Amino acid sequence: MAYDKFTVLKSTAVPMPIENVDTDQIIPARFLKATERKGFGDNLFRDWRFNNDDTPKQDFVLNNPIYSGKILVAGKNFGSGSSREHAAWAIYDYGFRCVVSSFFADIFKNNSLNIGILPVTVTPAFLDKIFTAIEADPKAELTVDLDKQSITIDATGESESFDINSYKKHNLMNGFDDIDYLQAMKEEIAAFAEKSLY
Amino acid sequence: MSQVPATLFDKVWDSHVVRKIEDGPDVFFIDRHFIHEVTSPVAFLGLENRGVKVMFPGKTFATADHNTPTINQHLPVQDPLSANQLKALETNTAKYGISHWGLGNPKNGIVHVVGPENGITLPGMTIVCGDSHTSTHGAFGAIAFGIGTSEVEMVLSSQCIMQPKPKKMRINVNGRLGKGITPKDVTLYIISQLTAAGATGYFVEYAGEVFENMSMEGRMTVCNMSIEMGARGGIIAPDETTFAYIKGREKAPQGAAWDKALAYWKTLKTDEGAAFDKEYHFNAADIEPMITYGTNPGMGMGITGHIPAAENGGGSKASYEKSLEYMGFAEEESMIGKKVDYVFIGSCTNGRIEDFRAFAQIVKGRKKAEHVTAWIVPGSHIVEQQIKDEGILDILTEAGFQLRQPGCSACLAMNDDKVPAGKYAVSTSNRNFEGRQGPGSRTMLASPLVAAAAAVTGVVTDPRTLMA
Ligand code: SF4
């Protein structure tokens, strides 16, 4: 599945200062019955976002019109639990391209990178600063520069750098995915498989 | 030639690296790939779109489990979306020549139960599946972990995925476990000590007397739960217990191939002096029957204890309070005596024969509490058959329980086995997340013994008080 290139993203952000947001919250299991990758954004955070009768829960941040943007800022240990890539699809399909947290669960991080969402890990102190900035002004913008590996709170100019390995960075900046890479080394893989015990 | 001492994990990992990418992941070769109906259809679509074939159909095994009913499996599946997903798995596997144990097949069951019990899972292998509890297979000295759907497509198309090598952690538990303390209690105890994110970025080796003395079923329970503390996976060195379990299973090596494999498997252990990035030591005597009181598996406690105060609960106060509020519990309360509405025994964590033996041990000669709804769900048809053959079914029936058909069931509540909003379930599965067992459901994770004690008394009960 190809995705849009990621270079510089300047956007307002949606704050979700909750810790341990697990993939069952991001997309509950009962919405995993599709056989195509379509429409998962509608059920993003379904049970936090909607009442049982499908009316929106007013106190949930995604239902609050003052917050919007392509960046989701969340508490630590975001994306824990199930390996369902549907969680990343739902976030992408809803319109987010970047998730910022002080800590990500491993599989969620991999899944995000594989589909073109940039997970940005910041220090807990910087995460607090972002939340404070958005609290002060819901229209506060963040700039995420993948090439420079930096995230900036535009209003204050405060900035922090983040890690990403150069392979994944190159992929994201060019919209490449791993399958292209692996297809190009099929012969090497076949030779390896020859020697394999199983 | 003297070599640098290596860990078990290093030995298996390094022998599967096809190519190292500088400042990038390893191109990692996969020996066994399990697929199921939920996380594979989009991967097959991806293959179609690219016009790519499955590279090694013989290394992938399919089973239907996540989205299947646990009663009347002989009838057509009622929910059209679920039926469609099951159909897609059947069509895709047939098209590419992949083995498929669908609904009704005598080998059908939960992917992490059927892999080991049919001898597909072997020491030294690399194993992946689009399900995070793939870590289960680490019990055999394999490197096994869950992957996303993009990676399922990678394995189908190239038998490889791109993985950065995780850091290494060793968790040692020594001493002897007391009466009524099961492998599930050991793992819930470890997770409560490390927290739900405490092992993120690590691959965990379990070592020490407690694991050496554990059955394969128990080791699978422990490795299964590794992901619940954030670990990529768990691994236990194979030993005589492992070899005895594998020998004679349908897909296990035989004859000369067995001898050759065995010689290799015996080399699969951590060398003296090998380095870990982090190491923990725990004492078996400190472990009680465990139960969780919150909404992540790290929120567990000894069953006779009290719910920690927010200051000691770990994490932020707001998140902790949100969690207790969801559960309808208060700080410093005792868990003993809390009303239980539902009991679920099953899942890839505790859906093996040993778990049903433990459950039966408590319910034998007692009756199911009237207000409790119990779902007793074997992990596979083979387990179901064992339950019947060993007379456990008679004990269950006598006590007023009904045995259901295999599948994931209330572990993720994708089918009809859902706990209603606000109701309390004692569950032998692996996740107590908000709504995991149905919207608004409240889950307390525990061992099969604690589940049995709750099922017959109708409240949270220390199983040791019911054991002779
Ligand atoms: S039983 Fe639960 S955890 Fe295990 S494979 Fe099924 S859904 Fe996943």
Side-chain angles (χ1 to χ4, degrees):
Chain A
M1 191 85 172
Y3 49 80
D4 299 336
K5 296 175 186 178
F6 194 116
T7 48
V8 178
L9 178 64
K10 183 177 166 67
S11 170
T12 52
V14 176
M16 193 176 283
I18 305 168
E19 296 177 353
N20 298 315
V21 174
D22 59 73
T23 49
D24 277 85
Q25 308 319 316
I26 299 173
I27 183 100
R30 60 187 191 282
F31 300 112
L32 307 185
K33 296 184 182 182
T35 51
E36 287 177 275
R37 191 187 144 181
K38 272 210 288 248
F40 285 100
D42 295 343
N43 294 316
L44 175 67
F45 293 114
R46 181 78 199 191
D47 294 336
W48 285 351
R49 213 166 122 204
F50 297 102
N51 294 303
N52 286 345
D53 60 2
D54 290 341
T55 54
K57 291 188 179 177
Q58 292 310 335
D59 57 352
F60 185 60
V61 65
L62 290 189
N63 294 325
N64 187 339
I66 67 169
Y67 299 110
S68 62
K70 294 189 167 184
I71 303 174
L72 177 66
V73 187
K76 77 161 189 245
N77 198 25
F78 187 83
S80 58
S82 149
S83 60
R84 60 187 71 158
E85 195 167 297
H86 311 67
W89 297 341
I91 288 172
Y92 191 100
D93 191 45
Y94 185 86
F96 293 117
R97 291 303 311 277
C98 173
V99 185
V100 180
S101 175
S102 57
F103 198 91
F104 287 96
D106 278 334
I107 303 183
F108 177 81
K109 190 151 85 180
N110 271 343
N111 287 344
S112 297
L113 288 166
N114 282 337
I115 67 155
I117 297 174
L118 177 64
V120 172
T121 308
V122 295
T123 59
F126 196 74
L127 187 68
D128 281 343
K129 282 185 187 165
I130 299 177
F131 284 135
T132 311
I134 302 175
E135 205 177 322
D137 174 12
K139 292 285 162 242
E141 286 194 311
L142 304 176
T143 299
V144 179
D145 187 326
L146 178 55
D147 190 30
K148 294 204 186 102
Q149 297 183 215
S150 70
I151 173 165
T152 308
I153 305 171
D154 293 358
T156 62
E158 284 168 294
S159 187
E160 198 171 82
S161 62
F162 60 85
D163 277 342
I164 180 169
N165 69 55
S166 47
Y167 168 82
K168 279 290 176 195
K169 177 172 164 179
H170 179 254
N171 272 1
L172 274 178
M173 292 189 66
N174 295 287
F176 295 161
D177 70 16
D178 289 344
I179 299 178
D180 301 330
Y181 186 98
L182 291 168
Q183 284 303 312
M185 57 177 287
K186 275 266 188 72
E187 275 175 35
E188 193 178 337
I189 296 170
F192 188 93
E194 277 296 305
K195 299 176 295 172
S196 135
L197 185 62
Y198 300 108
Chain B
M1 199 179 80
S2 80
Q3 282 198 330
V4 187
T7 68
L8 163 61
F9 174 74
D10 289 320
K11 292 180 188 180
V12 181
W13 184 281
D14 295 348
S15 65
H16 286 82
V17 175
V18 181
R19 183 192 285 181
K20 275 191 163 320
I21 300 175
E22 208 190 328
D23 192 27
D26 291 344
V27 176
F28 192 64
F29 189 81
I30 301 303
D31 294 315
R32 287 286 177 274
H33 181 208
F34 294 106
I35 59 174
H36 59 83
E37 73 277 24
V38 176
T39 55
S40 67
V42 173
F44 281 107
L45 266 186
L47 292 185
E48 303 273 315
N49 292 341
R50 288 176 203 259
V52 174
K53 295 226 155 3
V54 176
M55 192 174 184
F56 293 107
K59 295 186 193 288
T60 293
F61 295 81
T63 182
D65 55 1
H66 277 60
N67 195 3
T68 54
T70 54
I71 46 171
N72 294 326
Q73 287 186 352
H74 61 289
L75 298 176
V77 174
Q78 297 281 323
D79 174 8
L81 289 174
S82 304
N84 186 37
Q85 229 175 24
L86 294 168
K87 183 80 199 146
L89 186 65
E90 198 181 312
T91 316
N92 288 328
T93 49
K95 175 166 178 189
Y96 293 103
I98 292 168
S99 143
H100 175 227
W101 294 337
L103 213 52
N105 185 304
K107 296 281 173 59
N108 175 260
I110 304 174
V111 52
H112 311 310
V113 176
V114 302
E117 81 187 354
N118 290 288
I120 301 172
T121 300
L122 299 173
M125 279 183 167
T126 53
I127 301 174
V128 293
C129 170
D131 180 282
S132 54
H133 292 97
T134 308
S135 57
T136 311
H137 307 264
F140 291 80
I143 290 183
F145 52 87
I147 56 175
T149 298
S150 295
E151 292 165 314
V152 171
E153 190 181 336
M154 292 177 213
V155 182
L156 290 172
S157 58
S158 69
Q159 207 57 39
C160 288
I161 50 173
M162 312 289 253
Q163 286 292 303
K165 189 175 178 181
K167 289 181 281 185
K168 289 162 285 179
M169 178 188 287
R170 182 160 59 187
I171 296 177
N172 306 275
V173 188
N174 282 297
R176 273 192 163 281
L177 294 173
K179 184 179 87 172
I181 315 299
T182 69
K184 184 64 167 292
D185 301 304
V186 174
T187 179
L188 284 174
Y189 175 81
I190 293 171
I191 300 166
S192 75
Q193 298 296 308
L194 268 74
T195 79
T200 303
Y202 292 89
F203 212 98
V204 176
E205 177 173 347
Y206 297 97
E209 289 153 17
V210 162
F211 305 110
E212 284 160 20
N213 295 330
M214 213 175 250
S215 67
M216 286 317 292
E217 284 84 353
R219 293 178 192 181
M220 284 189 254
T221 300
V222 170
C223 288
N224 172 283
M225 293 290 288
S226 305
I227 178 77
E228 303 309 334
M229 50 188 176
R232 218 54 237 282
I235 191 167
I236 295 177
D239 60 8
E240 292 306 323
T241 306
T242 321
F243 310 143
Y245 178 97
I246 297 169
K247 195 159 188 168
R249 297 204 179 244
E250 185 180 312
K251 303 220 182 264
Q254 310 202 343
W258 169 265
D259 296 334
K260 183 171 165 230
L262 191 63
Y264 168 59
W265 296 345
K266 288 185 171 167
T267 67
L268 294 174
K269 45 173 151 279
T270 292
D271 300 331
E272 193 88 38
F276 288 85
D277 300 290
K278 214 170 204 177
E279 185 144 20
Y280 289 94
H281 295 271
F282 297 111
N283 189 343
D286 295 336
I287 307 176
E288 260 207 293
M290 297 288 293
I291 191 157
T292 65
Y293 56 88
T295 54
N296 73 60
M299 299 174 81
M301 58 184 245
I303 198 162
T304 62
H306 291 83
I307 297 175
E311 303 84 85
N312 307 323
S316 83
K317 196 163 188 280
S319 297
Y320 188 80
E321 282 167 356
K322 178 174 182 289
S323 178
L324 285 195
E325 190 191 313
Y326 180 87
M327 291 301 291
F329 294 155
E331 296 169 43
E332 324 251 11
E333 270 181 348
S334 159
M335 288 293 286
I336 297 281
K338 291 218 175 277
K339 186 167 172 230
V340 175
D341 308 295
Y342 284 75
V343 169
F344 170 54
I345 168 162
S347 86
C348 59
T349 311
N350 284 120
R352 299 184 182 79
I353 188 61
E354 193 176 275
D355 304 312
F356 295 94
R357 284 184 197 135
F359 190 87
Q361 181 193 348
I362 298 271
V363 306
K364 185 170 186 176
R366 297 192 167 90
K367 290 277 179 224
K368 181 181 82 65
E370 224 160 276
H371 70 271
V372 168
T373 303
W375 290 317
I376 318 248
V377 187
S380 69
H381 280 299
I382 294 181
V383 174
E384 181 185 20
Q385 194 55 47
Q386 279 174 299
I387 290 174
K388 292 176 181 165
D389 294 347
E390 294 188 12
I392 294 173
L393 179 59
D394 301 331
I395 297 174
L396 294 175
T397 313
E398 183 75 14
F401 293 97
Q402 190 200 347
L403 184 66
R404 299 176 79 99
Q405 291 170 303
C408 295
S409 177
C411 175
L412 89 167
M414 253 188 104
N415 67 357
D416 291 334
D417 307 343
K418 290 185 175 64
V419 176
K423 295 291 182 194
Y424 289 95
V426 170
S427 177
T428 67
S429 56
N430 39 60
R431 287 187 175 137
N432 50 353
F433 298 154
E434 280 185 31
R436 169 82 178 183
Q437 299 194 286
S441 60
R442 292 159 156 170
T443 301
M444 296 172 272
L445 299 176
S447 73
L449 290 177
V450 172
V456 295
T457 62
V459 294
V460 173
T461 302
D462 184 342
R464 292 171 297 190
T465 61
L466 303 179
M467 293 169 80

